[in-house]
Structure formats: C-alpha cells, structure tokens
Amino acid sequence: MTQPSMSDSHELAAPTDRPPDDKVAPAADEANDRVDQSRAVLIVEDDFLIAMQAEAALLDAGFRVTGIATTAEEALTMAREQKPALAIMDIRLAGRRDGVEAAGDLFRELGLRCVFATAHDDFLTRTRAEPFAPLGWLSKPYTMASLTSVVRASLARPA
C-alpha cells in the first residue's frame, strides 16, 4: 500500500466542523458584526512602533482594530471597506497629505470622526481640524491608558 503524497493531501482533507444547516448562523454573525462595529477603531499612524503599541492597547481593552493606515489615502480606503466607529488620527502621515486632510475626507464622505493623537496639536492645527468635529486630542507622547480612555469615552458619546 502506498502512502499518499503531499500533492494528494487536498483529497484527504478532513470534513469541516460546520453544521450541515447553517441558515441560523448569518443572523448571529450579523448581530456580532454590529456589536464589533460599535467598538471598531481604525488607526492612522505612520510610526510603526506607535501603531503597534496602540493596536495592542486597544485590543487588550476589548476594542476591534479594523486596520492600520499610514497615509490619508489608505485611511479612506480602509474606512470605506471596514466601517469603523472612529479613527485614531496622527497629523504627520506618510504621503503628500496630512491627518487633518484625511480626517476631512473621512468626515465628509463617511461621517467618521477622529481622535487626534499627535505631537502637532497647536492652535493652527486644531483650527484646521475643527470643521471635522474631532472627538478628542491626545498629545504625544501619550500613555496607552489615556488612549483607551479617550476611545472608550468617545464611543460612549451619543452620535
């Protein structure tokens, strides 16, 4: 008797654990998606270490991170696809456009508001961002506890 080769493994795949009738599952999945979306956060940050720290802190706090964007263009694309409840927005981003411009796109097109987390929170920057109804400002360097606290408070606000 010959042993099956690795190329034959697709024929030996184990059956899935799915129930034969999964007609009830989509409704439960949709309800879970709505709950997840209410705690979904997009991170817009081009500093890899800060983005990773923010992602870890938000996940540990029970939020869902929909993605990490490094440019204004990526932020808009990800937000269109994932529909987060809010975005954590740095001002200085990779690419030609800054975080205020990205926040403007997100707000005008999707009604998505931002918590700005940046070292650039001067009067001029805040004035530029004001039309896009920021949910809050965190000045760098900030703690991960302050980030999760601001996100929690922002998501608890009535729309």
Side-chain angles (χ1 to χ4, degrees):
M1 190 145 120
T2 61
Q3 293 291 327
S5 70
M6 291 303 280
S7 62
D8 294 334
S9 65
H10 68 280
E11 295 174 26
L12 302 173
T16 64
D17 292 335
R18 285 183 138 165
D21 184 8
D22 57 354
K23 292 179 183 174
V24 177
D29 287 345
E30 288 172 16
N32 288 338
D33 286 346
R34 281 193 297 274
V35 170
D36 285 348
Q37 288 310 103
S38 71
R39 297 183 60 78
V41 179
L42 172 64
I43 299 171
V44 187
E45 171 65 67
D46 66 340
D47 183 304
F48 177 78
L49 293 176
I50 293 172
M52 292 297 102
Q53 285 181 316
E55 179 181 38
L58 291 167
L59 291 172
D60 286 347
F63 298 103
R64 187 169 74 82
V65 175
T66 62
I68 298 173
T70 60
T71 68
E73 292 75 18
E74 282 180 342
L76 188 57
T77 298
M78 288 180 177
R80 283 177 184 143
E81 293 170 358
Q82 299 293 321
K83 308 284 191 264
L86 68 80
I88 304 299
M89 183 69 66
D90 189 14
I91 299 295
R92 298 283 168 119
L93 300 173
R96 299 182 332 261
R97 302 174 64 228
D98 72 7
V100 174
E101 293 169 299
D105 290 346
L106 295 173
F107 185 75
R108 284 187 295 269
E109 185 174 323
L110 304 171
L112 184 63
R113 295 170 64 192
C114 299
V115 170
F116 286 93
T118 182
H120 304 280
D121 66 346
D122 56 89
F123 178 77
L124 179 58
T125 302
R126 285 179 179 244
T127 301
R128 285 181 57 220
E130 195 57 38
F132 313 123
L135 292 166
W137 289 83
L138 283 171
S139 296
K140 285 183 181 175
Y142 54 85
T143 66
M144 292 303 114
S146 64
L147 173 66
T148 58
S149 178
V150 168
V151 169
R152 190 172 288 110
S154 296
L155 291 176
R157 288 183 186 176

